[in-house]
Amino acid sequence: MNADNPIDIGIALRRFQELDMEEGEQGYAYWYRVGQLLKRADSMQAEIDALSEELELCRARRRKAR
């Protein structure tokens, strides 16, 4: 997750597990999917952060080459 605003998704995932147990089979399917989306979003944010750093390095090299 973004280093400026770290979030522990484990807390949310544990809460989703609690909700899916409370709501039965339909709740399980729903909260499982929401959890998967949260995991994907976290992974995408990490990739965005890495690419942003790489882009900044490329820009710095380009400025230096001028």
Side-chain angles (χ1 to χ4, degrees):
M1 189 47 93
N2 187 333
D4 295 338
N5 189 19
I7 296 175
D8 180 2
I9 66 168
I11 295 168
L13 294 173
R14 285 189 296 278
R15 180 62 181 138
F16 293 161
Q17 287 177 330
E18 292 170 8
L19 290 169
D20 72 38
M21 285 189 262
E22 291 172 10
E23 297 180 16
E25 198 169 308
Q26 280 187 327
Y28 172 80
Y30 176 80
W31 291 112
Y32 176 80
R33 289 175 51 203
V34 171
Q36 293 303 308
L37 287 171
L38 182 60
K39 288 178 188 177
R40 287 180 55 206
D42 188 56
S43 175
M44 288 178 186
Q45 185 62 56
E47 188 171 345
I48 289 168
D49 292 344
L51 290 170
S52 293
E53 287 178 23
E54 188 175 336
L55 178 60
E56 197 51 46
L57 288 172
C58 288
R59 286 177 175 161
R61 278 190 229 122
R62 188 170 179 198
R63 284 190 296 267
K64 211 174 201 181
R66 288 183 184 177

